[in-house]
Amino acid sequence: METLDKIKLIYSFTDNDASNLMQLSGLMGSNANDFISNTYSFIANFDDFSKFLPDEEIRNRHQEKLKFWFMGLFSGTYNNEYLRKLKRIGEVHAEIKLPSHYVSATMNYIRNFTHGIIFRNFPSSGKRDELIASVNKIIDINLDIIISSYISEGKFYIAATKFETKIIKFSSKFSYILDLSLVISLIVATIMVFLLFAFEIYNFAFGGGDFESTVVDILGAMLIVWAIRELLEEEVKKLQGHKFALSAFIGLAMAALLRKILIFSLVPQKSTEVAILGFLVLVLGIVYWLMNKSSKS
Ligand code: HEM
């Protein structure tokens, strides 16, 4: 796992850099409002600025967060919590599908803006060059981590050869078609379970089916419909470019086992099977809970 210490080492970011940046904190704080207005004038030129930041409420919220991030550059404390926050910023931008070039271009603008302040306030070269070098390091570290979150989200891949590019394009189209066929199959499966549902009611009403087993069969069918619905929702999310939540499959397995338990519970001789299935549901339940917990944290 990456730690900020490792990244600092790669960038030769020393305690002296941290202290240089901290020295700039007051000066940058007094320019924070200018920072926001100038940076916003810059990003307002992007074609789809209004698509990503459509109204005053979102812009104000973003400006607050941007200001907080800017002041964080000069806090002097760069630990793993700082790293986590930067990764989060990358993930938020990747999630809204903001082109990574926008972040890089904005970072370039912020670098020049910060240099400008230093140039105006430190006319002689010695200390000024040292401050500029430290600012460059922290901005490069920020850009690196924010953009890495895009890469780890799988948003872009640099192929080495044309053949590789073709293979990648083909496999991504193929996987898209597979996803689409999965969605269609899931819809068909749902319709079939509904037919089963209708058949159970018909059988009970006109075929003299047993009341208890009809109720259990209907409950079982409902469980399966619920689980397929979850799976379908995840599959559609995947088609829209989101991550697939594997926990939906665990949900489906749990629903299938619960259905079996419901059916077996009507047969007294099947109590061992019911106990084994119950244990399996418990194990799957723990896995489901753990997966949901880790995806939230
Ligand atoms: C150096 C460049 C940028 C930095 C440092 C930055 C910083 C941030 C931060 C700190 C957040 C909050 C993340 C969180 O909730 O944890 C955020 C969210 C966001 N950013 Fe940026 N941003 C940058 C560039 C941009 C650009 C160029 C755009 C659009 C043109 C943009 C649009 C957004 C949007 C829409 C959100 C979500 C806002 C919300 O709903 O709260 N960002 N950004």
Side-chain angles (χ1 to χ4, degrees):
M1 208 197 95
E2 260 173 358
T3 62
L4 201 67
D5 282 340
K6 264 195 201 165
I7 296 169
K8 281 188 208 165
L9 210 65
I10 298 169
Y11 280 86
S12 309
F13 186 93
T14 60
D15 287 348
N16 190 41
D17 289 308
S19 112
N20 280 341
L21 290 166
M22 224 160 83
Q23 280 172 38
L24 288 172
S25 182
L27 180 60
M28 295 302 167
S30 55
N31 283 280
N33 289 338
D34 278 354
F35 162 75
I36 290 297
S37 55
N38 290 13
T39 307
Y40 253 64
S41 309
F42 176 76
I43 62 176
N45 292 322
F46 294 143
D47 278 349
D48 24 22
F49 167 76
S50 310
K51 179 183 129 196
F52 292 109
L53 297 155
D55 54 52
E56 274 311 296
E57 192 195 334
I58 298 181
R59 284 179 202 170
N60 287 341
R61 195 167 58 210
H62 187 238
Q63 288 181 356
E64 274 308 306
K65 289 180 175 171
L66 195 60
K67 197 195 264 186
F68 192 73
W69 165 83
F70 179 66
M71 288 317 297
L73 292 175
F74 309 101
S75 70
T77 310
Y78 314 102
N79 49 21
N80 285 339
E81 178 57 19
Y82 186 73
L83 175 70
R84 203 187 57 73
K85 280 190 185 151
L86 293 184
K87 282 195 168 159
R88 173 82 200 127
I89 295 177
E91 280 161 16
V92 168
H93 290 114
E95 266 164 33
I96 58 166
K97 295 198 175 359
L98 183 80
S100 58
H101 310 296
Y102 285 3
V103 176
S104 303
T106 311
M107 205 65 98
N108 183 54
Y109 176 83
I110 294 169
R111 186 196 305 272
N112 291 333
F113 174 86
T114 317
H115 285 184
I117 298 176
I118 298 176
F119 272 104
R120 283 195 295 279
N121 289 276
F122 295 86
S124 63
S125 64
K127 184 69 185 169
R128 185 185 66 197
D129 294 350
E130 218 188 283
L131 293 173
I132 296 260
S134 302
V135 163
N136 284 344
K137 282 185 204 172
I138 197 67
I139 287 193
D140 285 338
I141 290 175
N142 269 259
L143 186 59
D144 185 340
I145 298 166
I146 293 176
I147 297 298
S148 320
S149 307
Y150 274 78
I151 299 169
S152 61
E153 286 267 314
K155 291 292 182 278
F156 67 72
Y157 172 82
I158 301 161
T161 62
K162 268 191 180 166
F163 179 67
E164 236 181 292
T165 317
K166 275 188 186 155
I167 296 265
I168 305 262
K169 270 191 188 159
F170 172 76
S171 44
S172 72
K173 263 197 191 144
F174 187 66
S175 112
Y176 180 76
I177 292 170
L178 278 184
D179 279 328
L180 219 57
S181 0
L182 260 174
V183 169
I184 294 168
S185 318
L186 284 171
I187 293 173
V188 173
T190 317
I191 294 170
M192 283 166 75
V193 180
F194 264 112
L195 285 178
L196 184 76
F197 199 75
F199 173 74
E200 290 297 340
I201 294 175
Y202 177 84
N203 199 25
F204 172 68
F206 303 104
D210 175 45
F211 178 71
E212 199 179 8
S213 63
T214 305
V215 171
V216 165
D217 283 343
I218 288 176
L219 274 177
M222 276 164 64
L223 260 176
I224 297 291
V225 171
W226 166 77
I228 294 182
R229 197 205 68 87
E230 290 275 298
L231 214 55
L232 201 57
E233 196 178 297
E234 285 308 320
E235 207 39 66
V236 170
K237 271 193 206 159
K238 188 162 179 263
L239 282 173
Q240 291 168 340
H242 299 275
K243 276 194 213 155
F244 185 85
L246 216 59
S247 54
F249 269 113
I250 312 268
L252 182 63
M254 280 202 299
L257 288 176
L258 283 171
R259 181 173 173 270
K260 272 260 173 288
I261 292 179
L262 281 174
I263 295 167
F264 283 0
S265 64
L266 298 178
V267 189
Q269 302 90 305
K270 298 261 185 187
S271 46
T272 322
E273 279 91 338
V274 171
I276 295 172
L277 290 173
F279 177 71
L280 283 177
V281 172
L282 178 70
V283 172
L284 284 177
I286 293 172
V287 174
Y288 187 84
W289 175 71
L290 285 174
M291 281 178 114
N292 280 338
K293 198 168 173 259
S294 66
S295 68
K296 271 178 202 151
S297 61

